[in-house]
Amino acid sequence: MAGFEAPTPLKKHLLDSHTTTEDVGRIAAAAGVKVLVLSHFVPGDDPEVTDEDWTRDVKKNYTGRIVVAKDLMELKLPV
């Protein structure tokens, strides 16, 4: 196929073993999640990627509260 470039092993792993943000929103909505915490980002340390970038596709299917986790962030759970 002209112009087709096979994914690198890392890219293949990421695509095969991680959930897209759009699917995360769909799953959270179907499960009735009240607060969705996003974590384990790839790339995780790129200052060019904003919280809005991470949540944009989630919001296509999920309307609840979204928290974009940061390293060392602590969240209090309701008791």
Side-chain angles (χ1 to χ4, degrees):
M1 190 179 334
F4 174 77
E5 186 176 320
T8 64
L10 175 59
K11 185 172 184 178
K12 181 172 177 7
H13 162 73
L14 295 173
L15 294 171
D16 289 348
S17 61
H18 291 80
T19 307
T20 66
T21 51
E22 190 166 347
D23 283 344
V24 166
R26 188 175 295 112
I27 293 164
V33 170
K34 294 180 181 138
V35 179
L36 176 62
V37 179
L38 301 176
S39 66
H40 192 69
F41 301 107
V42 178
D45 59 354
D46 185 344
E48 299 283 321
V49 181
T50 66
D51 289 358
E52 177 57 31
D53 292 328
W54 291 120
T55 60
R56 183 177 301 108
D57 286 342
V58 175
K59 292 176 181 177
K60 290 179 181 179
N61 298 294
Y62 178 74
T63 59
R65 180 172 169 224
I66 303 171
V67 176
V68 178
K70 308 285 189 234
D71 285 347
L72 304 176
M73 179 184 269
E74 294 183 16
L75 301 170
K76 292 191 183 243
L77 300 176
V79 180

